[in-house]
Amino acid sequence: MPDHPAICWFRRDLRLADNAALTIAAGSGRPVICVYILDDETPGEWRMGGASRWWLHKSLEALDADLRKRHNRLILRRGRADKAISDLVAETGAEAVFWNRIYDPAEMERDRRIKAALKDRSLQAESFPGNLAHEPWVLRTGNDGPYRVFSPFRKALLALDPPGAPLRPPKGVGVPENWPESDELDDWNLLPVKPDWAGGLRESWTPGEAGAMARFEAFIEEGLDDYAKGRDHPAKPNVSRLSPHLHFGEISVRQLWAKMDWLEDQGTASVGKFRSEVIWREFSHHLLFHYPDLPERNWREQFNDFPWRDYPEGLKAWQRGMTGYPLVDAGMRELWHTGYMHNRVRMVAASFLIKHLLIHWKRGEEWFWDTLVDADLPNNAASWQWVAGSGADAAPYFRIFNPIKQGQDYDAKGGYIRRWVPELAELSDRSLHEPWNASEAELESAGVRLGETYPERIVDHAGARKRALTAYEEIRRG
Ligand code: FAD
């Protein structure tokens, strides 16, 4: 009966365009109840971290405003999603529930149960492909197994038909006669108050669908042409910074893909490289789908015997950007201030924690989970294991990023380090990457007092490198 509502359950698809669940709900002729459920209770899920909660608040505000322009609105519920959906169905007499998929293991399991329960009650329950170019189970190797290596995965993915054209936002979204009750967004306390540490996030980002599209367009204007080279230089404006928008589904991969196809036809440089990075995201989803304990367990079991150190002071120095290694500290401070860290620096900072300090990659994974606005289970887990050497297609363990040389190679003029470690700003470009080698006179004239205005190194690079390789040898020999 068309007057019985349909529920459109928003999750990580906080947009109106290219939203299959919303399009189908709107097209059904039923009144549409749009709902977001803050579910912190599903067993096994990774509860959203602080920076993600800030983003979520802002993104829900934007989505509600966009729905209100269409005379609809967003209903907010909190608690276990299975109960919240069941309650909403009972309260509204809804006969259909639609959603777009997410692929984190606990949520997939939960959604399967919800779908089965709705169907048992003879209700329509339909899910649609989520925010990937292709479902994570589609690709299989010649031996009918999952891919473990990126290059053949990428090749196979590019050989598939391209993802379908993105859908336009629905013109009209039916409105129910009576609205069910909704929580107040402010009551969810997603924004930090005491202290309010989100000033840097507010300066840096515009969450929501319009913000995502504006970011994408700015990247095409300013960054894409030189992306292939510039993407490695954290002071350059060549990366897209789309990761949080993609994570929350404010822009879809199908939208990116369609635009990339068009730009490629126009001969725009670097499109292939950018697409490759987006395929890394597909690969992480593929890995997590096939190896659901990737966020918790070493993919290579030999790492279970790795002699990790319990070193809380080292972990704290790393988290605060006080290791005495300027590039690492710049990255960790960028993360704290903006909720983002440039990819090159993520690799260096992660490698430093794991290899220079011998702290378990899971401590880094947890910190990133809490502080990144783009915290994303597949990408975060796969990337940490990649750096540790314990993952599929991982960097070999003996590849130990040299934080000094990485700074010299990728931030030669020091624009990035000077921005985030201003107490070193007056040093020469050379000394900026290794202030401990600067002369007394230079340190003095730059106002730097090691151990006072900027920390001494917490570990010596050459010694730490040797120690890490010895530890690795131990597990390699078994
Ligand atoms: P761009 O270079 O503009 O790339 C475009 C998009 O491609 C990104 O938005 C992202 O969705 C995808 N992408 C790019 N690089 C990678 C990659 N190496 N792996 C997977 N997808 C990629 N990314 C997250 O989205 N969430 C995380 O929690 C996360 N944790 C990470 C932890 C570590 C230790 C490391 C080394 C990397 C992590 N990454 C994570 C991957 C990568 O650093 C970010 O996706 C990227 O820096 C986001 O910036 P961007 O949007 O400007 O990227």
Side-chain angles (χ1 to χ4, degrees):
M1 292 245 307
D3 52 339
H4 282 266
I7 293 172
C8 179
W9 178 15
F10 281 87
R11 298 122 61 84
R12 261 181 249 147
D13 48 3
L14 304 180
R15 64 179 187 277
L16 304 188
D18 197 33
N19 187 324
L22 179 65
T23 301
I24 296 290
S28 70
R30 297 172 184 274
V32 181
I33 294 169
C34 298
V35 62
Y36 182 88
I37 302 164
L38 180 64
D39 178 357
D40 282 332
E41 294 166 29
T42 287
E45 69 166 348
W46 276 58
R47 223 174 148 261
M48 228 180 280
S52 301
R53 282 173 194 269
W54 175 85
W55 190 287
L56 177 67
H57 182 109
K58 299 286 173 187
S59 193
L60 292 178
E61 257 175 8
L63 178 63
D64 184 49
D66 289 344
L67 285 168
R68 282 176 195 265
K69 284 184 205 143
R70 287 168 159 75
H71 311 292
N72 207 297
R73 59 173 290 201
L74 190 62
I75 299 296
L76 302 175
R77 293 286 170 101
R78 183 173 201 168
R80 278 183 69 129
D82 46 7
K83 178 164 185 318
I85 289 287
S86 167
D87 289 351
L88 203 54
V89 166
E91 289 164 33
T92 60
E95 287 188 343
V97 185
F98 302 113
W99 66 83
N100 299 310
R101 285 176 211 127
I102 45 186
Y103 307 96
D104 297 357
E107 282 83 348
M108 277 193 93
E109 177 52 34
R110 175 196 71 186
D111 295 348
R112 240 181 255 128
R113 276 189 283 106
I114 293 177
K115 193 184 260 185
L118 289 168
K119 289 195 166 170
D120 277 353
R121 293 162 64 186
S122 305
L123 298 168
Q124 190 182 355
E126 261 185 81
S127 62
F128 300 90
N131 203 6
L132 291 174
H134 298 283
E135 296 293 72
W137 50 81
V138 165
L139 286 178
R140 313 281 299 172
T141 62
N143 297 330
D144 199 28
Y147 280 88
R148 295 151 178 224
V149 181
F150 175 70
S151 298
F153 175 85
R154 173 178 170 277
K155 199 166 157 216
L157 189 137
L158 288 172
L160 294 173
D161 286 341
L167 300 163
R168 291 181 180 284
K171 284 220 170 72
V173 185
V175 175
E177 262 174 36
N178 299 306
W179 290 107
E181 275 183 23
S182 172
D183 290 356
E184 291 294 326
L185 185 55
D186 286 339
D187 292 343
W188 283 2
N189 299 322
L190 298 172
L191 302 178
V193 184
K194 283 180 188 164
D196 172 11
W197 43 257
L201 273 59
R202 286 193 291 273
E203 280 163 25
S204 311
W205 303 101
T206 310
E209 186 170 9
M213 203 37 88
R215 181 88 287 285
F216 187 36
E217 279 160 13
F219 166 64
I220 292 169
E221 275 296 296
E222 298 155 14
L224 180 60
D225 248 336
D226 201 28
Y227 177 80
K229 274 205 214 128
R231 65 181 283 274
D232 270 321
H233 298 263
K236 291 193 177 175
N238 291 111
V239 289
S240 72
R241 293 175 185 263
L242 281 170
S243 45
H245 299 290
L246 280 167
H247 172 78
F248 284 94
E250 297 167 353
I251 191 166
S252 77
V253 171
R254 284 173 298 270
Q255 289 172 299
L256 297 192
W257 213 270
K259 188 75 179 189
M260 287 299 128
D261 285 346
W262 185 81
L263 288 166
E264 205 156 45
D265 290 346
Q266 310 296 306
T268 308
S270 289
V271 171
K273 186 66 194 162
F274 181 68
R275 211 194 293 265
S276 265
E277 294 308 311
V278 176
I279 298 174
W280 270 105
R281 181 174 178 275
E282 302 272 321
F283 184 53
S284 303
H285 278 79
H286 177 79
L287 288 175
L288 183 63
F289 176 75
H290 289 288
Y291 305 102
D293 52 9
L294 193 71
E296 277 92 26
R297 293 172 64 88
N298 293 309
W299 190 84
R300 288 173 202 274
E301 287 184 0
Q302 78 188 117
F303 276 80
N304 293 348
D305 297 325
F306 195 87
W308 301 112
R309 286 168 79 207
D310 181 23
Y311 181 25
E313 304 80 32
L315 180 61
K316 202 170 221 177
W318 178 81
Q319 289 171 336
R320 292 182 171 177
M322 297 292 275
T323 65
Y325 282 88
L327 186 63
V328 174
D329 292 342
M332 297 308 294
R333 295 182 196 187
E334 180 188 27
L335 172 61
W336 182 250
H337 191 75
T338 68
Y340 175 91
M341 194 195 305
H342 187 278
N343 178 60
R344 165 71 37 191
V345 193
R346 288 188 202 203
M347 293 191 289
V348 176
S351 172
F352 187 86
L353 181 81
I354 297 167
K355 298 179 184 178
H356 286 71
L357 304 184
L358 293 184
I359 293 178
H360 200 300
W361 58 264
K362 284 176 65 174
R363 303 292 85 74
E365 184 194 31
E366 288 156 5
W367 183 250
F368 272 31
W369 182 256
D370 197 30
T371 52
L372 278 172
V373 286
D374 66 22
D376 179 82
L377 200 61
N379 272 1
N380 201 34
S383 300
W384 275 97
Q385 294 228 37
W386 182 89
V387 177
S390 59
D393 195 11
Y397 183 86
F398 51 79
R399 179 168 170 206
I400 296 176
F401 284 90
N402 176 336
I404 308 153
K405 182 147 189 330
Q406 289 283 316
Q408 290 161 341
D409 288 352
Y410 296 109
D411 190 32
K413 298 235 169 296
Y416 180 75
I417 292 177
R418 287 196 173 86
R419 171 158 186 214
W420 293 111
V421 191
E423 63 268 38
L424 300 180
E426 299 301 320
L427 288 175
S428 65
D429 291 354
R430 193 155 147 253
S431 299
L432 190 64
H433 302 288
E434 37 188 347
W436 56 89
N437 281 337
S439 67
E440 284 299 325
E442 184 181 355
L443 287 173
E444 194 180 326
S445 81
V448 178
R449 289 187 305 282
L450 291 179
E452 286 179 45
T453 61
Y454 182 69
E456 303 269 12
R457 289 170 294 169
I458 60 170
V459 70
D460 164 63
H461 167 65
R465 183 172 189 284
K466 219 164 136 202
R467 183 177 62 179
L469 290 174
T470 310
Y472 177 62
E473 268 308 300
E474 269 180 41
I475 59 161
R476 207 170 67 88
R477 273 194 251 105

